[in-house]
Amino acid sequence: MTTSKSTENYSGFTAEERAAMKEHAREEKKAASRRGASRAEKEAAAEQDVLAKIAEMQDADRVLAERIHKIVRETAPELAPKLWYGMPAYARDGKVVCHFQSAEKFKSRYATLGFSDQAALDDGVMWPAAYALTELNAAAEEQITALVRKAAG
């Protein structure tokens, strides 16, 4: 495949964003390959994919992601783990409710816990949809637990 000079210089997406889109395409292909599997097999494979992605993270992000994963699984077991653009995410009926984005993913100074429009967090005309995470202490874990519980509805 040849690319034009203008395509090579296109700066609409960062290298990290393009990598995330490619990762999403691989995730979709992997999910399609599991179509004949039972629901339990698909769920187990998706959770293993999430745990493998977490294990690949750098130390600080990995510690946060492991804790977030545990909180979500304990607080809202009805949310199914899945990869979403290469990030650990948790979905209801296939639609992402919340996700963890490592700082490394987009070369950010902090990791984030984000919530989609599927999350039941509506509060007036404006509410937070993502939270910066630098570390987890008891108070932060309590707040995240409450957010996940509310988001799962």
Side-chain angles (χ1 to χ4, degrees), residues 71-99:
I71 290 169
V72 173
R73 298 301 287 146
E74 289 175 356
T75 305
E78 68 275 17
L79 296 182
K82 69 181 274 180
L83 288 179
W84 184 64
Y85 293 93
M87 296 177 281
Y90 305 88
R92 179 179 41 247
D93 300 324
K95 295 182 180 178
V96 171
V97 173
C98 61
H99 71 280

Side-chain angles (χ1 to χ4, degrees), residues 3-4 14 42 44 48-50 57 67 71 76 78 86 99 101 105 111-112 128 136-137 142 144 148-149 153:
T3 58
S4 70
T14 66
K42 288 178 189 175
Q48 286 307 310
D49 291 345
V50 166
M57 293 178 186
R67 221 29 227 130
I71 290 169
E78 68 275 17
H99 71 280
Q101 180 180 302
K105 181 99 178 144
T112 58
L136 289 179
N137 56 28
E142 189 175 307
I144 290 168
V148 169
R149 185 174 290 117

Side-chain angles (χ1 to χ4, degrees), residues 55-66:
E56 292 173 5
M57 293 178 186
Q58 293 181 355
D59 291 347
D61 286 342
R62 189 182 67 253
V63 169
L64 292 171
E66 287 171 345

Side-chain angles (χ1 to χ4, degrees), residues 19-29 83-86:
M21 288 184 277
K22 288 177 183 176
E23 199 158 7
H24 181 63
R26 284 191 299 274
E27 291 160 10
E28 292 297 312
K29 187 176 179 181
L83 288 179
W84 184 64
Y85 293 93

